[in-house]
Amino acid sequence: MDLNTQETLEKFATVIRELTDTAEYIARIEENKAIVASEKRHQLLDGLIQDEQAQILKLRGLEQRRLRLADSLGWKSLTFRQILEKAEPEQQTLLQPLFGELEHQLKRLENARKNAEQIINTRLHEMQVILARQQGGSYDNTGNINLNSPVHAKLQNKYV
């Protein structure tokens, strides 16, 4: 492997490490969002969401760098598994643990995001129910909020 390829490979490995660190950081934010929402400390969500948005922008930039470096290494449009199959043995030794850790952090991120989303959606629904009750609406057994007056309010005391 020539010196230029070695330098590009090192840059590629550095980007993979940065992607892993960023995914881990975003996963921690998601986990914190779930905790904050479950504890009904909604005032803290805005700061977490802003931090998350900044990290997502960083993640996108890193992904663009990764794609450019992969292209210069001859790995354009290849998955991580395909890269490992195509890579030389010393490249595989370097990349395999990095790819494994990145995959682990991305799965953690996906799970944390799902959990946070579920808890936040539950809290939003609770708030909608409270607002509907305050506005004179009703809540049916299927989970829908009806802002019209309840059915029993339309009935009158009349004999038929």
Side-chain angles (χ1 to χ4, degrees):
M1 177 174 8
D2 67 10
L3 185 60
N4 189 31
T5 303
Q6 183 63 34
E7 287 176 6
T8 305
L9 181 65
E10 287 299 325
K11 288 179 185 176
F12 183 80
T14 299
V15 169
I16 297 297
R17 286 183 195 101
E18 290 176 16
L19 280 167
T20 302
D21 293 343
T22 305
E24 179 182 15
Y25 188 73
I26 296 171
R28 281 195 311 252
I29 292 171
E30 289 290 343
E31 291 163 353
N32 287 334
K33 281 171 42 181
I35 291 168
V36 162
S38 68
E39 294 174 351
K40 298 183 181 182
R41 297 184 303 158
H42 305 118
Q43 70 277 10
L44 300 176
L45 281 175
D46 189 47
L48 291 170
I49 290 170
Q50 288 179 10
D51 193 12
E52 179 183 36
Q53 288 171 341
Q55 293 302 313
I56 288 171
L57 288 175
K58 179 180 177 182
L59 195 66
R60 287 181 182 155
L62 288 168
E63 181 61 12
Q64 289 174 356
R65 280 183 46 208
R66 183 194 69 80
L67 291 172
R68 281 194 304 274
L69 290 167
D71 186 24
S72 65
L73 288 165
W75 299 332
K76 184 176 183 170
S77 302
L78 296 181
T79 65
F80 290 150
R81 280 193 180 83
Q82 291 169 330
I83 288 172
L84 289 174
E85 289 171 4
K86 189 174 180 180
E88 298 172 13
E90 64 271 8
Q91 293 172 329
Q92 289 175 352
T93 303
L94 172 66
L95 296 175
Q96 192 162 11
L98 296 176
F99 289 166
E101 181 60 22
L102 178 57
E103 182 179 22
H104 172 74
Q105 291 304 328
L106 290 174
K107 285 180 181 177
R108 176 183 171 198
L109 172 57
E110 183 179 354
N111 289 332
R113 185 197 58 76
K114 285 179 184 176
N115 291 338
E117 185 177 322
Q118 184 178 18
I119 291 170
I120 289 170
N121 284 337
T122 300
R123 292 292 172 239
L124 284 173
H125 184 72
E126 288 174 355
M127 288 180 196
Q128 288 172 338
V129 169
I130 290 168
L131 285 173
R133 286 182 183 152
Q134 288 176 348
Q135 296 171 355
S138 62
Y139 169 72
D140 66 21
N141 291 337
T142 62
N144 297 318
I145 297 171
N146 181 6
L147 292 178
N148 299 324
S149 58
V151 175
H152 63 79
K154 295 178 184 175
L155 299 176
Q156 299 178 4
N157 289 334
K158 290 188 178 178
Y159 293 102
V160 181

